[in-house]
Amino acid sequence: MLVNANSLAELPRLAPYSDRLRIGLRLNPMVATDSPDLFDVSRDDSKFGEPIANADAVLSAIRGFPVTALHVHPSSSMTSVDAAVRAVESVVALAIEANVQACESGNDRRIRVIDVGGGLAPEDPDGTDGSLMEEYARTLRDRLPELWSEFDLVTEFGQWVHFHTGYAASDVEYVVDRADRQVAFVHLGADFLLRDVYVRPRGIRWLPVRGGRAIEGAAQPTDLAGPLCFAGDFLARDIELPRLREGDHLIMLGTGSNALGLWSRHTSRDVPAVVGVDFAGRSLQVLSERFSPFVEPLG
Ligand SMILES: Cc1ncc(COP(=O)(O)O)c(C=O)c1O
């Protein structure tokens, strides 16, 4: 198992386990990414990683501790790969420098693994602009062939992998007309989609359903209101959806990442059930029941 120290200060904590773990060191590449401020982990004042500007101290720590991996996670929700590639380049350069020093001093420990983290925003599977992930891999292969020839490459892509693997469903509790739009109240809000509500929409698609079929009809301005007691609890504002009514369902496509895992207890609501869907086998399995984190179920 690979465990990455977040800073030089963590290395003494991990060192005693080096017979059971591969120990890595996370570096802050100090590059400007295009991720939203809240997910930007590569600024000079980031709490993540040892700043790469401290290269001498990092090289000294690699000599002194059983470090055999270097890790960089440039940021999250990036929509361009330039900064990420520069981040990986600087980390690989440092790994090569560490290995040269080890070789020259007769030390046979080497940096063997480069862990490039994750960070790419989810892509539209039906998109026509070409894949950002393919561009990332292609650019890394062109600029850093040694990543494949001299190191083992580890990745940690989160939302790029998982975003499209989950979806959520809620009843439409009721619909009211406010100003120029319909406001549909649903049972999932900022407690479920924290990033979309508090930071920025991530591209979740809203599919209204009635009697098991997608609702057709003229689109009209729509707000999707969540159940929480604050004014900002809207899953989406001013989107175009057909006229909705009480008893409809709203399917939310693209909730496989940074959704239930971030569940917030705001207003003490029940945590929804999770159902696994096997499309090939046409079967459903309840993976976890709906539950209250606060109240024991009644006998
Ligand atoms: C160290 C590390 N690796 C990987 C990830 C996954 O990030 P993403 O979902 O942006 O790919 C994160 C998320 O914050 C992270 O902190």
Side-chain angles (χ1 to χ4, degrees):
M1 185 198 289
L2 167 62
V3 177
N4 294 315
N6 184 47
S7 63
L8 299 184
E10 278 187 7
L11 284 175
R13 292 169 166 76
L14 295 180
Y17 305 99
S18 64
D19 56 334
R20 275 166 282 166
L21 303 174
R22 178 185 289 283
I23 297 179
L25 175 62
R26 178 171 180 168
L27 297 173
N28 171 3
M30 305 173 77
V31 292
T33 70
D34 68 347
S35 74
D37 281 354
L38 208 58
F39 308 134
D40 188 345
V41 293
S42 291
R43 285 194 304 238
D44 295 0
D45 61 355
S46 173
K47 68 174 183 168
F48 292 110
E50 191 64 33
I52 198 145
N54 299 344
D56 288 345
V58 169
L59 288 167
S60 163
I62 292 171
R63 286 194 296 274
F65 290 96
V67 175
T68 57
L70 290 182
H71 166 49
V72 60
H73 171 66
S75 268
S76 279
S77 296
M78 294 183 293
T79 55
S80 100
V81 298
D82 300 349
V85 170
R86 276 186 281 117
V88 179
E89 276 178 329
S90 64
V91 169
V92 168
L94 199 70
I96 291 171
E97 171 67 20
N99 287 351
V100 168
Q101 287 189 3
C103 183
E104 285 171 355
S105 64
N107 180 346
D108 57 8
R109 192 173 60 240
R110 297 283 183 276
I111 301 297
R112 305 256 177 232
V113 172
I114 303 291
D115 172 355
V116 301
L120 298 194
E123 297 189 49
D124 179 355
D126 306 322
T128 51
D129 291 344
S131 158
L132 193 64
M133 183 62 89
E134 281 175 9
E135 184 190 336
Y136 192 25
R138 200 171 43 243
T139 314
L140 285 176
R141 269 193 192 277
D142 287 350
R143 305 235 298 247
L144 287 172
E146 59 271 42
L147 244 188
W148 279 264
S149 59
E150 291 180 35
F151 299 97
D152 289 335
L153 177 60
V154 170
T155 65
E156 305 176 1
F157 291 99
Q159 51 190 315
W160 190 91
V161 173
H162 297 288
F163 182 78
H164 294 290
T165 63
Y167 57 91
S170 170
D171 293 345
V172 174
E173 186 61 30
Y174 56 79
V175 182
V176 296
D177 291 301
R178 294 288 180 265
D180 61 345
R181 66 199 55 188
Q182 61 172 345
V183 179
F185 282 76
V186 295
H187 291 269
L188 294 165
D191 44 3
F192 179 55
L193 297 179
L194 275 82
R195 292 196 171 189
D196 304 83
V197 177
Y198 290 107
V199 186
R200 72 174 186 197
R202 295 174 300 148
I204 289 172
R205 283 186 285 176
W206 317 103
L207 179 64
V209 169
R210 184 176 300 148
R213 295 190 180 279
I215 301 175
E216 315 251 323
Q220 57 180 267
T222 304
D223 288 352
L224 296 175
L228 304 187
C229 60
F230 76 102
D233 184 31
F234 284 89
L235 294 177
R237 297 202 90 150
D238 206 14
I239 57 171
E240 295 283 323
L241 288 181
R243 182 73 197 175
L244 301 173
R245 65 175 190 238
E246 183 175 331
D248 289 341
H249 295 96
L250 185 70
I251 313 290
M252 308 172 190
L253 299 171
T255 62
S257 64
N258 302 116
L260 191 67
L262 306 184
W263 183 261
S264 136
R265 296 181 175 196
H266 195 333
T267 59
S268 312
R269 293 175 58 80
D270 284 3
V271 180
V274 179
V275 179
V277 184
D278 176 351
F279 284 100
R282 300 183 69 78
S283 65
L284 298 176
Q285 188 186 351
V286 177
L287 302 177
S288 67
E289 300 281 358
R290 171 178 167 165
F291 70 96
S292 164
F294 303 101
V295 183
E296 290 289 324
L298 291 175

